[in-house]
Amino acid sequence: MSGKYVHGYTEREAERLSDQAQTLTGLLHDDTRYPAGSRVLEAGCGTGAQTVILARNSPEARITSVDISEVSLGEAKKRVEIEGITNVTFEAGDIFDLRYEPGSFDHIFLCFVLEHLAEPHRALEQLRPLLREGGTITVIEGDHGSAYFHPDSTHARRAIGCLVDLQREMGGNALIGRELYPLVAGAGYRDVSVSPRMVYVDGSRPDLVRGFTRLTFTAMVEGVGDDAVNRGMMSREDWERGIADLYRTSEPDGVFCYTFFKATGRK
Amino acid sequence: MSGKYVHGYTEREAERLSDQAQTLTGLLHDDTRYPAGSRVLEAGCGTGAQTVILARNSPEARITSVDISEVSLGEAKKRVEIEGITNVTFEAGDIFDLRYEPGSFDHIFLCFVLEHLAEPHRALEQLRPLLREGGTITVIEGDHGSAYFHPDSTHARRAIGCLVDLQREMGGNALIGRELYPLVAGAGYRDVSVSPRMVYVDGSRPDLVRGFTRLTFTAMVEGVGDDAVNRGMMSREDWERGIADLYRTSEPDGVFCYTFFKATGRK
């Protein structure tokens, strides 16, 4: 094969990955559509990965996206501009101390935020007054303890456990998905409903194998390898075997399972 | 409250549990409907718990249900008679050595059978010739490694691990659900498709809390307690804490997750 073929092949792969990203997007976001004119607060927008999806799905809502990090906000603004999205306003702010009038928003949206907070329940409580009566909150989180796979591997499980432990040391909780119901209900919201969104990947779904098992989940675990080894959580050899075993699940006879959780509640 | 009230309350509870059993039945079985006159083999019918559901969902199919245990077959027959079901024939037979002509069946159905076999792949291979060309196979299995919960508990996880280890000692595999795709595809079936069926239980679903978390899953784990303790897998104290922690997940702020897998393939 010539370099040109390889390049063409790579382009097709890029398209597949993009398709795959859209599949996950659909799984997590497709049922969140806010009406025209509604005031939406995205609390903890980070670099805007979810902001873009949120804004596209609710093009006539007025979205306010806040984050505590000015650096992240800068990237988020750039991303939204590139996409030509115009219904988002960015503001710097601490999720525990936002300076909006009570009832300023019809809807609040958080995605992959609570997992990084030491006091997720308090964040939910602090946000509640910002909602109008009858307004909704939507929370999406993963749960790394929901990952299991074939072939099973104690080393791979231990490697994932290191990521969970490291996130816990930083005050977060990588197992928070399963807790969304008690967290949201416990923060005083009513009509709380949680729906799990399972990603099931087997050899019949090569795009998911590549886009989720390899490039999303395993790459994420792989990223904390030096931290885990340097802290003595696992030997380098065991760590590498764990990562190899995770990649092994992306062979044609492998299987990988992971579950996200989506909660909605009402003030 | 008088004894009569209590009795009435108990009756309502019994109704709820029955409703709940129907919910799980729906989750696992509702999309399996065989046409009138089709010849269906249920391989490994046990005491007929699934036979009754299968026969009700396909009332005009001709179902042959086989099991190696005459005792189980006797119970299955009784159960089917009580339900007034008339489209099932029971026959004793070894799933690895069934004496039917090649192509005798349009459909084969197995539920909670492969998990008990040391050679599940060989069972699937041995069954394949019994299907006509184009006939289908349907396989349903659980996966105890798919169980996770809130509050999390190492003792509870270890108790479930004992059940997995005990089943493995008996030649079975309590983690087989995740393997269905490679198993069925590897046995030569085509168009193999696996769909996970997740049971998500939180405080908003009290019937599932009782019917699944308490009376189905935790009761099942609890049942192997003496075996696990007598073999020194866990101390009595740790075991009891594990079981208590499993019951703890059925409190209003608890959450329990479990996933079944359903595979279909074609000859």
Side-chain angles (χ1 to χ4, degrees), chain A residues 146 149-150 178-179 194 205, chain B residues 149-150 178-179 194 205:
Chain A
S146 75
F149 33 83
H150 173 74
R178 72 189 72 175
E179 292 188 38
V194 171
R205 311 175 195 210
Chain B
F149 32 83
H150 173 75
R178 72 188 73 175
E179 292 188 40
V194 171
R205 309 173 197 213

Side-chain angles (χ1 to χ4, degrees), chain A residues 34-109:
Chain A
Y34 298 119
S38 58
R39 303 158 300 167
V40 177
L41 173 66
E42 185 194 12
C45 65
T47 60
Q50 317 303 323
T51 311
V52 172
I53 303 162
L54 192 67
R56 272 210 213 96
N57 283 347
S58 301
E60 298 185 76
R62 288 151 36 202
I63 300 169
T64 303
S65 294
V66 304
D67 203 89
I68 200 166
S69 159
E70 294 278 4
V71 177
S72 294
L73 278 177
E75 290 191 41
K77 275 178 200 168
K78 230 182 293 173
R79 200 192 288 242
V80 155
E81 272 167 30
I82 288 168
E83 298 281 337
I85 288 166
T86 57
N87 61 329
V88 179
T89 306
F90 289 100
E91 290 174 11
D94 179 350
I95 201 168
F96 290 102
D97 185 28
L98 291 174
R99 306 296 172 89
Y100 300 104
E101 292 297 311
S104 291
F105 297 99
D106 301 301
H107 307 286
I108 296 180
F109 179 87

Side-chain angles (χ1 to χ4, degrees), chain A residues 237-251:
Chain A
E237 195 188 344
D238 283 353
W239 176 267
E240 280 171 2
R241 187 163 157 200
I243 297 298
D245 286 352
L246 281 177
Y247 279 115
R248 170 66 184 83
T249 71
S250 66
E251 300 284 314

Side-chain angles (χ1 to χ4, degrees), chain A residues 153-183:
Chain A
S153 151
T154 51
H155 288 84
R157 276 189 271 136
R158 184 67 204 115
I160 296 168
C162 287
L163 174 54
V164 172
D165 291 345
L166 285 166
Q167 193 158 339
R168 187 179 293 122
E169 279 183 25
M170 295 169 69
N173 178 6
L175 310 179
I176 202 168
R178 72 189 72 175
E179 292 188 38
L180 287 190
Y181 179 79
L183 271 173

Side-chain angles (χ1 to χ4, degrees), chain B residues 29-30 32-40 51-63 80 83-89:
Chain B
H29 293 276
D30 264 8
T32 299
R33 312 269 173 177
Y34 298 119
S38 58
R39 303 157 301 167
V40 177
T51 311
V52 171
I53 303 162
L54 192 67
R56 270 207 214 99
N57 284 345
S58 301
E60 297 183 78
R62 287 150 38 203
I63 299 168
V80 155
E83 298 282 337
I85 289 165
T86 57
N87 61 329
V88 180
T89 307

Side-chain angles (χ1 to χ4, degrees), chain A residues 24-25 28-29 42-46 49-50 53 67 95 109-117 138-144 167 173 176-177 180 212 216 220 258-262:
Chain A
L24 261 196
T25 297
L28 301 181
H29 293 275
E42 185 194 12
C45 65
Q50 317 303 323
I53 303 162
D67 203 89
I95 201 168
F109 179 87
L110 297 94
C111 186
F112 306 144
V113 173
L114 295 185
E115 61 168 322
H116 301 295
L117 305 180
T138 298
V139 185
I140 301 174
E141 294 288 346
D143 189 314
H144 295 353
Q167 193 158 339
N173 178 6
I176 202 168
L180 287 190
F212 190 78
T216 302
M220 175 183 67
Y258 188 92
T259 300
F260 297 91
F261 292 81
K262 184 167 186 173

